[in-house]
Amino acid sequence: MDEEKIQQTEAEDKAVELEIVAEQDDHENENSGQQPASTLQQMKQQASEDDEAPAGSLSLRQILGGDYLFSLVKNHIMLILLVVFITTIYVGIRYQCQQDLIEMNQLEKDLEKAKNKALSSSSNLTEMCRQSNVLQQNQDTLLKLSDQPPFIIEVPEE
């Protein structure tokens, strides 16, 4: 109750001050020959639109009713949108990074398999190309192992 009375007296004091300022402006305008503008009305509109409620006027009813939260969101909407935008970008980049890591691991596994297969194939080919294996595989042919070392046949040029 006391806070409401204090707020009412403060509001009345502001209104009185505005009236005094408006009267002074009217007197100045009359002395200067200009038409008096409705500064009192303009000041009242500005005072009623721009003034926020004093910090001490916050009540449990305003908090539970959502008035406080609405005013908080209204005053900081750009900051909230910026935080949401940055968070969305952060989550998207993190997701893309995880997908890239999964793909890299899969490619590394595929590369390891390919290396093992190439090594195995190379080993099998080397084993099959040995002289002893070639002779074993071709026992039924007329090819025989030579006892003499290889030599170069020279052909005379004509």
Side-chain angles (χ1 to χ4, degrees):
M1 292 273 194
D2 293 330
E3 291 180 43
E4 291 176 12
K5 290 180 183 178
I6 292 172
Q7 290 174 2
Q8 286 179 346
T9 55
E10 289 176 356
E12 291 173 1
D13 289 342
K14 285 183 183 179
V16 170
E17 289 175 4
L18 291 175
E19 288 178 16
I20 293 172
V21 170
E23 288 177 5
Q24 289 175 354
D25 287 343
D26 288 341
H27 290 299
E28 289 176 6
N29 287 340
E30 288 175 7
N31 293 338
S32 64
Q34 298 175 351
Q35 287 189 350
S38 59
T39 56
L40 176 62
Q41 292 174 351
Q42 292 174 355
M43 294 178 105
K44 283 183 182 179
Q45 287 176 347
Q46 288 176 354
S48 64
E49 292 173 359
D50 296 339
D51 285 346
E52 294 181 9
S57 69
L58 189 61
S59 68
L60 183 62
R61 184 175 186 180
Q62 289 176 333
I63 292 173
L64 294 178
D67 296 338
Y68 177 72
L69 181 64
F70 178 72
S71 66
L72 184 69
V73 169
K74 186 175 101 177
N75 291 337
H76 298 97
I77 189 70
M78 294 307 286
L79 178 63
I80 292 169
L81 290 175
L82 178 67
V83 168
V84 167
F85 177 73
I86 289 173
T87 304
T88 304
I89 296 297
Y90 174 75
V91 168
I93 290 173
R94 183 171 176 180
Y95 177 77
Q96 185 62 42
C97 182
Q98 287 177 342
Q99 294 301 316
D100 291 345
L101 286 174
I102 290 170
E103 184 181 359
M104 285 173 52
N105 288 337
Q106 185 63 37
L107 290 174
E108 286 176 0
K109 287 178 184 176
D110 292 344
L111 179 63
E112 190 67 30
K113 287 179 183 177
K115 282 182 181 179
N116 289 337
K117 187 175 180 181
L119 182 62
S120 175
S121 297
S122 174
S123 172
N124 288 339
L125 183 61
T126 304
E127 184 179 338
M128 291 172 68
C129 290
R130 288 191 183 141
Q131 186 176 4
S132 59
N133 285 341
V134 169
L135 289 175
Q136 245 179 6
Q137 291 173 0
N138 295 325
Q139 286 179 354
D140 58 342
T141 63
L142 299 174
L143 293 176
K144 302 287 182 202
L145 185 59
S146 171
D147 294 338
Q148 298 176 357
F151 60 93
I152 298 176
I153 302 175
E154 294 182 18
V155 178
E157 294 182 20
E158 295 180 31

